[in-house]
Amino acid sequence: MSVVRTSPSVAVIGAGPAGLMAAEMLAEAGFSVDVFDAMPSVGRKFLMAGKGGMNLTHSEPRAPFVSRYGARAGVIGHWLDDFGPDALRAWVHSLGIETFVGSSGRVFPRDMKAAPLLRAWLARLRANGVRLHVRHRWLGWQASDAPGPACLRFAAPAGEHRVSADAVVLALGGGSWPRLGSDAAWVPWLAARGVGITPLQSSNCGFETDWSAHFRARFPGEPVKAVAMALPDDNGSIEFRQGEFVVSEAGIEGSLVYALSARIRERINAAGEATILLDLLPGWTPERVTTVLMHPRGARSLSSHLQSRLGITGVKAGLLRECLPKAYFTDLAQLAHSLKALPLRLLRPRPMAETISTAGGVTIESLDEGLMVTNLPGVFCAGEMLDWEAPTGGYLLTACFASGRAAARGVAAHLARG
């Protein structure tokens, strides 16, 4: 981005990764930058995401990396041309934070924490002249206002006031974890101004099913490990993905579920429910399962036989009993098949407030290449409030950072045109 000689003002609303990255780029380019956030401190969702280990990005090659963004791979691929996984790691290193690649290919800070990175980043932003304003909740525009960067309304500790700027970057997040600031309050305000918005939906989420009272009481919190999961496509093709998930009181959640959550959600949207298949013995061939299951068990019960010969016990044994008719336990051929493809009916995603991220938001078609809203000159959007989604594994965070930089480039180009 070329340095400008004047100092136009830019307001950035939302102090998450996308907003702070836009602020950094704009300040370095010589703009006067103010960042506003509704919460008492910045980066709250970023810090929450780091509590289980700050997964920054992924080390896989570009083609599979970009494919994780599905229908938006083309657009996000352009953002990543400027700021992809390698550039993100280099940027983190420039803050004095070392990174490493885990066994899964995911990239983490050396200490696995988000807070040191955020502290170093905020110190850089302040040194570059960025002004941070917390407890400033954006209220949109008055009905009589021509919406744009010159009439921004905020609720602040001292009362409501207005802010004028030459451009504004909205980085307000989606609808997940609203207690951390992403409450989607912006949706009706932008929709009322003619901005295209796809309804927000849960993404990277758990799903609910109708467990029996016994199963619900016995197994909540139990991890299901050494398992594979598949959602047959419309042509009946089945591709299992191995990993693990957790049984909840309402249904299932965890990394393996999140990896398939977009497809599961869309199947539920279309058909009212989705039936996934669980391979409880992913390291076993169907033939081996059948052979071992058919082995004479003498006086032992079927449960003991499943446990001793196949290792099916605990929550896996519970899932078998929960998902299969009783008749299957007297038909060993059918039971063997079910151990490799156990059907589990899912009814609905968990509420957005409990999910890692959301799908939907401001449509890409409502924006120009610089992420400016085409019918609101000077208003730019970035981050999770845009209509895209990606699985966990560093893909979400990488695209949020990259979109902030894309919006900053768009602001610079717009203001340069006058």
Side-chain angles (χ1 to χ4, degrees):
M1 184 185 299
S2 60
V3 176
V4 296
R5 300 183 183 278
T6 58
S7 297
S9 62
V10 182
V12 177
I13 307 178
L20 293 180
M21 183 57 79
E24 178 176 338
M25 289 284 291
L26 291 164
E28 289 180 352
F31 294 96
S32 175
V33 181
D34 288 89
V35 177
F36 301 89
D37 196 270
M39 304 304 290
S41 59
V42 305
R44 289 203 164 192
K45 189 174 178 182
F46 181 74
L47 291 173
M48 177 64 77
K51 284 198 171 180
M54 184 74 253
N55 182 193
L56 293 164
T57 188
H58 203 286
S59 63
E60 69 183 349
R62 175 181 169 80
F65 190 102
V66 174
S67 73
R68 306 295 184 183
Y69 300 99
R72 296 303 189 189
V75 172
I76 296 178
H78 287 305
W79 304 346
L80 298 178
D81 287 340
D82 173 67
F83 199 71
D86 291 340
L88 174 55
R89 291 187 73 186
W91 174 80
V92 172
H93 297 162
S94 77
L95 292 170
I97 306 295
E98 292 302 312
T99 62
F100 72 96
V101 180
S103 58
S104 64
R106 299 182 179 194
V107 177
F108 303 89
R110 181 66 60 185
D111 62 5
M112 299 289 288
K113 297 177 181 177
L117 191 159
L118 182 60
R119 284 195 298 268
W121 192 8
L122 293 177
R124 174 186 287 179
L125 290 169
R126 291 188 178 102
N128 287 341
V130 174
R131 293 170 294 276
L132 301 173
H133 308 272
V134 296
R135 293 188 173 92
H136 277 64
R137 181 176 297 278
W138 186 51
L139 300 176
W141 300 277
Q142 295 278 17
S144 59
D145 289 335
C151 52
L152 303 169
R153 297 172 55 228
F154 290 92
E160 183 177 330
H161 68 100
R162 294 195 175 200
V163 171
S164 291
D166 295 299
V168 58
V169 177
L170 303 179
L172 294 159
S176 63
W177 293 354
R179 63 189 177 87
L180 301 179
S182 298
D183 59 8
W186 54 268
V187 171
W189 303 335
L190 293 185
R193 303 295 181 166
V195 180
I197 296 174
T198 302
L200 296 177
Q201 300 184 83
S202 297
S203 182
N204 288 298
C205 57
F207 290 87
E208 298 178 2
T209 189
D210 288 336
W211 296 132
S212 66
H214 169 76
F215 191 90
R216 185 182 295 110
R218 173 69 178 82
F219 294 108
E222 289 286 333
V224 185
K225 299 183 177 182
V227 67
M229 183 181 294
L231 177 68
D233 66 20
D234 293 336
N235 298 318
S237 177
I238 300 173
E239 182 177 348
F240 280 94
R241 180 190 294 262
Q242 191 164 344
E244 60 183 72
F245 66 92
V246 176
V247 170
S248 68
E249 236 181 271
I252 58 173
E253 58 188 40
S255 58
L256 185 55
V257 182
Y258 304 154
L260 296 174
S261 65
R263 291 181 55 215
I264 296 172
R265 183 195 67 231
E266 293 308 306
R267 180 68 57 81
I268 292 173
N269 287 345
E273 62 182 56
T275 298
I276 60 170
L277 300 177
L278 301 176
D279 182 349
L280 301 182
L281 296 165
W284 295 54
T285 65
E287 293 77 16
R288 184 184 175 201
V289 172
T290 300
T291 298
V292 171
L293 191 59
M294 296 289 191
H295 189 276
R297 66 175 189 266
R300 286 184 305 174
S301 67
L302 179 59
S303 294
S304 296
H305 189 60
L306 287 168
Q307 179 176 348
S308 63
R309 303 288 296 186
L310 295 168
I312 298 297
T313 186
V315 67
K316 285 189 175 181
L319 284 167
L320 273 182
R321 297 287 180 183
E322 183 73 9
C323 298
L324 295 180
K326 289 183 179 180
Y328 280 42
F329 293 90
T330 59
D331 184 341
L332 295 186
Q334 185 64 61
L335 182 59
H337 172 78
S338 298
L339 284 163
K340 297 293 291 179
L342 181 68
L344 175 58
R345 181 169 165 257
L346 302 176
L347 302 176
R348 57 201 155 263
R350 293 295 292 163
M352 285 195 299
E354 300 178 15
T355 64
I356 291 175
S357 61
T358 49
V362 176
T363 63
I364 300 299
E365 293 74 19
S366 294
L367 310 173
D368 67 12
E369 290 186 356
L371 302 187
M372 183 171 73
V373 181
T374 53
N375 67 339
L376 299 178
V379 178
F380 297 76
C381 295
E384 198 183 327
M385 68 183 296
L386 301 181
D387 180 18
W388 61 277
E389 66 179 314
T392 56
Y395 309 104
L396 282 164
L397 196 51
T398 302
C400 282
F401 281 122
S403 72
R405 290 177 67 95
R409 291 196 308 273
V411 169
H414 170 71
L415 295 178
R417 291 192 295 268

